[in-house]
Amino acid sequence: MSHLQNLLLDSLLGTKHVDSAALIKLHERSVCVASPGFSLMPSDVRTLVNGFAKNPLQTRREGLYFKEKDYKCVRADDYSLYAKNDNRGVIVVKTHLFLLVATYIEGMYPSVCVEATEKLGKFASP
């Protein structure tokens, strides 16, 4: 297991409030590492990268289509995207080199998922 995968597992999944996580290389638009069983299709990667490329207001208005579901965007700015669909959600934090993606499901606290993802994003930023 790679150092990056260990970091994802310990920092995010270790909270018990992150269901799955991945690190996307921003410039290559490819998945660098992901938690076991979490696969992102190229269309999912494109959706997340484009969520930051658009005007944040447009992203908030339109929401995201991620993993074959429509998500309502509840936060979109230059560094973070938060979106939810019923009792599940996706948190995306942008660093200089990566997009850090974390998901939560029913029974998990979204606030803990957000806090852990944002902290790891700050740690990964230069």
Side-chain angles (χ1 to χ4, degrees):
M1 205 176 310
S2 76
H3 171 69
L4 288 175
Q5 190 167 33
N6 281 335
L7 194 60
L8 285 181
L9 293 176
D10 294 343
S11 301
L12 298 179
L13 276 68
T15 67
K16 305 292 187 217
H17 292 280
V18 174
D19 182 56
S20 53
L23 201 57
I24 297 171
K25 292 180 188 175
L26 206 60
H27 298 291
E28 290 89 356
R29 295 180 176 219
S30 64
V31 176
C32 175
V33 66
S35 58
F38 186 52
S39 62
L40 293 174
M41 300 299 295
S43 60
D44 294 324
V45 172
R46 208 170 23 258
T47 293
L48 298 177
V49 171
N50 289 342
F52 286 100
K54 297 178 189 176
N55 176 330
L57 182 59
Q58 182 182 358
T59 301
R60 277 195 302 268
R61 215 177 300 133
E62 294 176 358
L64 297 173
Y65 186 74
F66 177 71
K67 306 266 313 156
E68 300 182 354
K69 292 189 181 344
D70 284 313
Y71 282 76
K72 177 184 176 192
C73 192
V74 294
R75 177 179 177 166
D77 60 36
D78 291 339
Y79 304 102
S80 303
L81 290 175
Y82 305 169
K84 67 179 193 169
N85 174 303
D86 294 327
N87 293 324
R88 64 179 51 240
V90 60
I91 308 300
V92 187
V93 174
K94 180 181 173 189
T95 71
H96 183 67
L97 299 173
F98 299 103
L99 289 184
L100 180 57
V101 182
T103 66
Y104 63 87
I105 58 174
E106 186 172 358
M108 295 180 170
Y109 293 124
S111 60
V112 176
C113 182
V114 166
E115 182 180 7
T117 308
E118 292 283 1
K119 279 184 179 178
L120 186 55
K122 281 188 175 72
F123 174 77
S125 294

